[in-house]
Amino acid sequence: MSRRTRWLTLVSVLAVVSMLSVACQPVGAPAGGAKPTNKLEMFSWWTAGGEADGLNAMYDIYKKAYPNVEIVNATVAGGAGTNAKAVLSNRLLGGDPPDSFQLHAGLEVEKYDPAKYLQPLDSLYTSEGLDKAFPKDLISLLKYKDHFWGVPVNIHRANVMWYNKKVLADNGLTPPTTWDEFFKAGDVLKAKGIVPLVIGTKEGWEAGHTFETILVSILGAEGYKGLWNGQMQWTDPKVTQALETYKKVMSYANTDYSALTWSDAAQYLVDGKGAMHIMGDWTDGWFTSKGYKDYGWAPVPGTKGIFDALSDSFAAAKGARDQVNLQNWLKVAGSKAGQEAFNPKKGSICARTDCDPALFNAYLQSAMQDWSKDAIVPSVVHGAAAVEKWATVYKDILNTFATNGDVAATQAALQQACKDNGVCK
Ligand code: GAL
């Protein structure tokens, strides 16, 4: 199987869904006789350092090309879109859509009832050559019900373990490559009064994020993908092992985790208050925005050779106020110049395959290498692997697990969620 066909067995699920086709309405001409405006309203959850900088870099390109258009930057803070997605749904349902909004590539689009609320972007893909600009399996992930609904700006990796180089070196440690090594290193650090793993779970998605990387490590790429496409049952003993591992990992974490966001936890790492941190590579953009350089990175223990992937795209709302402003924005988002300006700041690699690696820092260059050779698996917490209602239940189950620690009940609930979503029998 070629590398690019590896991301998703999930793609086959999408292919089944794709059989229902939706009428194609091109972006480009003002809809319903709408008058041109001088505004473009952009909706995202990018307010943190790095991500906001990347977005602004794309805006700068747009503003230079279209100086008469005012960009209304409608952001709703909260990692992984925790708050933004709910606000967006209400706006779409209420007939007050932003012109364009952040949307993860993958099954997340189902949440927004695309046939009703979104514009298919097929003709833009053709006119801009976007169907040839992105890797094949990203293209498959972007297609839902046979249409493109978003223009991807990046590829992020979820399974990264960041570490404070000095803290590990001062304690004679190297980044752990297995969970046993992690626990041994953790014991050394604990004995010195240092928090081995910094984590924040305040926004409700971070426990699910950490656990998905542990599932990848214990089940491997095929086993993990199987959990989302029905090839693997959640009752499998490996899921038990993953839950037990997660529980033990959390015994090496800071105790105030429920009061911290992902970036608060990253700040602990910067301040030397902890040694390691599991989080997606938007952390690289955040570190860069803080001028922090003394960090190292490694795959989450047990996940070397596997890239837990997600991609941010921008969608076009039906009823957008100005189709021309919107189309021009999507062109910038999909362009080489737009992606080269955005990604080095954002801490992600381009969705396009033709960006210049020399523009990216050492971490991102390593991510490009890994993306080109690793087995690719879809992130669930970041919209790729499952429909939103399943991903939400999954996150809630993990949050309950953090308080009750009940492995058997958690595993049963995870299997039930799979059944409720029609994937497990
Ligand atoms: C992800 C998103 C990233 C970053 C992260 C933290 O869901 O894809 O771009 O924003 O959340 O908020």
Side-chain angles (χ1 to χ4, degrees), residues 45-48 51 77-82 85 102-105 108 153-154 156 203 205 209 262 279-283 310-313 342 346 348 379 381-383:
W45 59 85
W46 287 336
T47 57
E51 31 200 47
T82 328
K85 288 181 195 173
Q102 187 182 348
L103 170 73
H104 284 127
E108 184 174 293
V153 285
N154 66 0
H156 266 308
E203 291 174 334
W205 57 277
H209 178 116
W262 69 270
M279 189 40 66
D281 50 10
W282 40 91
T283 309
L310 58 126
S311 167
D312 294 297
S313 79
F342 172 71
K346 176 70 170 78
S348 41
S379 165
V381 166
H382 306 284

Side-chain angles (χ1 to χ4, degrees), residues 69-128:
V69 180
E70 179 199 342
I71 296 181
V72 179
N73 185 33
T75 50
V76 176
T82 328
N83 309 317
K85 288 181 195 173
V87 173
L88 177 63
S89 280
N90 286 341
R91 288 194 59 178
L92 294 177
L93 290 173
D96 173 34
D99 298 312
S100 180
F101 61 87
Q102 187 182 348
L103 170 73
H104 284 127
L107 289 169
E108 184 174 293
V109 70
E110 185 262 1
K111 173 183 169 67
Y112 301 118
D113 196 352
K116 211 160 166 188
Y117 296 110
L118 306 192
Q119 301 186 37
L121 302 174
D122 306 351
S123 55
L124 185 79
Y125 267 67
T126 309
S127 69
E128 296 305 296

Side-chain angles (χ1 to χ4, degrees), residues 330-415:
L330 295 173
K331 284 182 185 168
V332 169
S335 71
K336 183 170 186 288
Q339 302 209 356
E340 285 181 340
F342 172 71
N343 285 294
K345 292 190 159 70
K346 176 70 170 78
S348 41
I349 59 175
C350 290
R352 296 183 66 97
T353 53
D354 57 357
C355 287
D356 179 359
L359 299 169
F360 292 77
N361 68 17
Y363 165 73
L364 291 169
Q365 291 191 8
S366 80
M368 285 176 200
Q369 293 284 321
D370 290 348
W371 167 250
S372 71
K373 61 178 171 33
D374 281 5
I376 310 296
V377 300
S379 165
V380 63
V381 166
H382 306 284
V387 292
E388 188 73 5
K389 61 180 188 315
W390 187 4
T392 301
V393 173
Y394 160 88
K395 283 181 270 189
D396 291 348
I397 293 170
L398 264 296
N399 287 327
T400 306
F401 183 52
T403 45
N404 70 14
D406 188 336
V407 171
T410 304
Q411 190 164 2
L414 288 166
Q415 173 72 7

Side-chain angles (χ1 to χ4, degrees), residues 158-159 208-218 278 300 303 308:
N159 59 320
H209 178 116
T210 308
F211 184 60
E212 96 177 35
T213 70
I214 294 177
L215 282 172
V216 172
S217 77
I218 310 271
I278 293 174
V300 165
T303 67
D308 182 8

